């Protein structure tokens, strides 16, 4: 699970109390507020959940946020378990106790870094079940609860395209757009597709070296219901791929390039994740207040599911021919150095 940087902003919880008098009590009595962020995906080899505490105090909030003890509970104060629940009988079929780790560094930012405390498990999750998150503060006895289903694989209806029996994406064989069609899955509200273009660089007579892929992120799509079976699609054209290459790469003297393969990352998310994403957008109207959203009981934060599927395919011969013959891509005038 990737720890989203913008999610961490919900850890800045400031309690301001006013009385009926014309006075402002800036420093109210301490109130324990637990902040949670977790996105569950059965495809992840390790499942991480971030658990912080809200804080307040005298002084600058940004300075306090940089103090490790201000935002993390001491190890042992919070116990965290996942309860594997059968969705039909609601029976708990397995209980998983989360361990703690500080081995995943946090990037520089508002909050204390690089050390961060995460709760995790590498247990295999059942994609057909629901998972209850139960947190207990052993000092206060306070309990927090969240629940989420896991999301099943997307069912694609156009197998000739993704994937197809010959193992290639057909982009240039027809002037029409290639349609990637699928049926929506139960409990999924939001989808997003990302196209990856892999290529090699070769400097002089040296070896070919695979480069980080170029990424084209498509607009999010929302399913019309949560029961599944709705027909949905993305259009993918050769021109989109060419525009991605031209807008990202620059000519490099002495560097030959070779198109390698294409990939597609297909991400699905729950209704709660969609709501959170929508409410996290910067306000564009007169009202600049951003509504808060939480789906955990007795705490603040987001505990839900998203599911990532990745496909890798070779590029079809027609697209390769286009890349290796187009002067903008080859060693022609101002070309990018792509070779046949």
């Amino acid at each position: 699970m990737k720890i989203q940087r913008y999610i961490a902003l919900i850890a800045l919880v400031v309690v301001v109390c006013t009385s009926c008098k014309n006075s402002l009590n800036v420093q109210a009595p301490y109130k324990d507020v637990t902040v949670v962020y977790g996105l569950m995906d059965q495809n992840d080899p390790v499942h991480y959940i971030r658990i912080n505490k809200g804080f307040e105090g005298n002084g600058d909030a940004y300075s306090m946020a940089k103090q490790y003890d201000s935002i993390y509970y001491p190890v042992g104060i919070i116990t965290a378990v996942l309860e594997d629940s059968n969705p039909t009988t609601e029976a708990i079929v397995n209980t998983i106790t989360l361990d703690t780790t500080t081995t995943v560094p946090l990037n520089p930012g508002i909050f204390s870094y690089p050390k961060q405390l995460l709760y995790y498990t590498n247990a295999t999750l059942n994609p057909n079940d629901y998972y209850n998150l139960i947190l207990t503060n052993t000092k206060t006895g306070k309990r927090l609860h969240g629940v989420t289903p896991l999301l099943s694989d997307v069912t694609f209806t156009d197998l000739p395209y993704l994937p197809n029996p010959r193992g290639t994406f057909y982009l240039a064989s027809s002037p029409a757009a290639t349609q990637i069609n699928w049926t929506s899955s139960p409990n999924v509200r939001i989808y997003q597709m990302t196209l990856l273009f892999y290529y090699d660089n070769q400097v002089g007579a040296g070896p070919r070296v695979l480069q980080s892929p170029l990424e084209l992120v498509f607009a999010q799509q929302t399913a019309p219901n949560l029961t599944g079976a709705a027909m949905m699609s993305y259009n993918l054209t050769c021109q989109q791929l060419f525009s991605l290459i031209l807008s990202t790469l620059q000519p490099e003297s002495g560097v030959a390039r070779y198109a390698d393969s294409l990939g597609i990352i297909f991400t699905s998310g729950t209704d709660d994740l969609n709501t959170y994403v929508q409410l996290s957008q910067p306000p564009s109207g007169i009202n600049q207040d951003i509504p808060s959203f939480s789906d955990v009981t007795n705490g603040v934060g987001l505990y839900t599911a998203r599911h990532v599927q990745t496909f890798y395919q070779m590029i079809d011969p027609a697209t390769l021919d286009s890349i290796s013959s187009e002067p903008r891509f080859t060693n022609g005038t101002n070309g990018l150095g792509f070779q046949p």
Side-chain angles (χ1 to χ4, degrees):
M1 184 201 71
K2 294 182 179 178
I3 305 300
Q4 307 289 338
R5 293 191 298 271
Y6 64 88
I7 300 294
L9 293 176
I10 60 179
L12 283 174
V13 179
V14 180
V15 181
V16 178
C17 298
T18 58
S19 67
C20 58
K21 300 178 181 179
N22 294 326
S23 62
L24 178 65
N25 182 9
V26 177
Q27 188 61 39
Y30 176 77
K31 179 180 179 182
D32 179 67
V33 179
T34 304
V35 184
V36 178
Y37 177 66
L39 292 180
M40 309 305 292
D41 185 347
Q42 65 271 17
N43 281 359
D44 289 336
V46 184
H47 311 284
Y48 293 103
I49 296 177
R50 180 164 179 162
I51 303 170
N52 297 109
K53 59 180 179 179
F55 65 91
E56 62 173 339
N58 295 316
D60 178 48
Y62 288 99
S63 297
M64 289 185 287
K66 294 187 180 299
Q67 303 302 314
Y68 182 88
D69 293 340
S70 294
I71 57 177
Y72 295 107
Y73 291 97
V75 173
I77 293 296
I78 298 294
T79 62
V81 299
L82 292 177
E83 293 181 344
D84 183 345
S85 172
N86 183 293
T88 302
T89 65
E90 297 186 357
I92 303 301
V93 298
N94 189 23
T95 300
I96 304 166
T97 300
L98 302 186
D99 294 320
T100 59
T101 181
T102 57
T103 60
V104 181
L106 182 67
N107 291 330
I110 294 175
F111 297 97
S112 172
Y113 66 88
K115 180 183 177 182
Q116 65 171 333
L117 179 66
L118 297 174
Y119 295 73
Y120 79 97
T121 178
N122 55 12
T124 300
L125 304 185
N126 186 337
N128 300 314
D129 289 353
Y130 280 64
Y131 281 84
N132 301 302
L133 174 66
I134 309 294
L135 305 182
T136 303
N137 187 316
T138 60
K139 184 177 181 179
T140 65
K142 179 181 176 181
R143 284 168 60 88
L144 181 148
H145 173 254
V147 61
T148 185
L150 297 185
L151 306 179
S152 58
D153 287 347
V154 169
T155 300
F156 293 98
T157 57
D158 264 345
L159 291 184
Y161 293 118
L162 182 65
N164 65 76
R166 296 170 63 183
T168 58
F169 284 107
Y170 287 94
L171 296 181
S173 55
S174 170
T178 293
Q179 278 197 329
I180 296 179
N181 301 320
W182 75 96
T183 57
S184 64
S185 302
N187 300 313
V188 176
R189 177 66 77 184
I190 187 172
Y191 291 94
Q192 189 162 46
M193 184 176 78
T194 301
L195 176 69
L196 307 175
F197 172 68
Y198 290 89
Y199 66 99
D200 296 333
N201 271 4
Q202 183 181 31
V203 180
R208 295 187 188 182
V209 179
L210 184 65
Q211 304 299 298
S212 298
L214 310 184
E215 296 188 5
L216 176 62
V217 180
F218 286 72
Q220 298 168 0
Q221 292 194 26
T222 54
N225 59 62
L226 294 176
T227 57
M231 297 300 301
M232 304 182 71
S233 67
Y234 275 108
N235 288 332
L236 179 60
T237 67
C238 197
Q239 186 56 49
Q240 288 172 309
L241 174 60
F242 291 170
S243 296
L244 172 66
I245 297 172
L246 288 169
S247 63
T248 308
L249 297 181
Q250 299 293 327
E252 294 186 40
S253 178
V255 175
R257 293 179 167 127
Y258 298 84
D260 181 84
S261 58
L262 294 177
I264 282 185
I265 299 175
F266 215 85
T267 305
S268 53
T270 62
D271 197 35
D272 281 351
L273 181 58
N274 178 56
T275 300
Y276 186 87
V277 169
Q278 296 304 315
L279 292 179
S280 299
Q281 300 300 317
S284 58
I286 296 176
N287 183 4
Q288 294 295 299
D289 292 333
I290 300 177
S292 60
F293 174 78
S294 176
D295 64 356
V296 296
T297 302
N298 215 22
V300 177
L302 182 71
Y303 172 71
T304 190
R306 61 98 170 89
H307 186 49
V308 180
Q309 295 170 258
T310 306
F311 306 88
Y312 302 99
Q313 300 291 324
M314 301 307 296
I315 302 175
D316 68 281
T319 304
L320 286 174
D321 288 345
S322 298
I323 293 176
S324 62
S325 62
E326 168 62 51
R328 294 176 298 174
F329 294 136
T330 60
N331 283 329
T333 303
N334 296 322
L336 297 176
F338 279 93
Q339 307 297 308

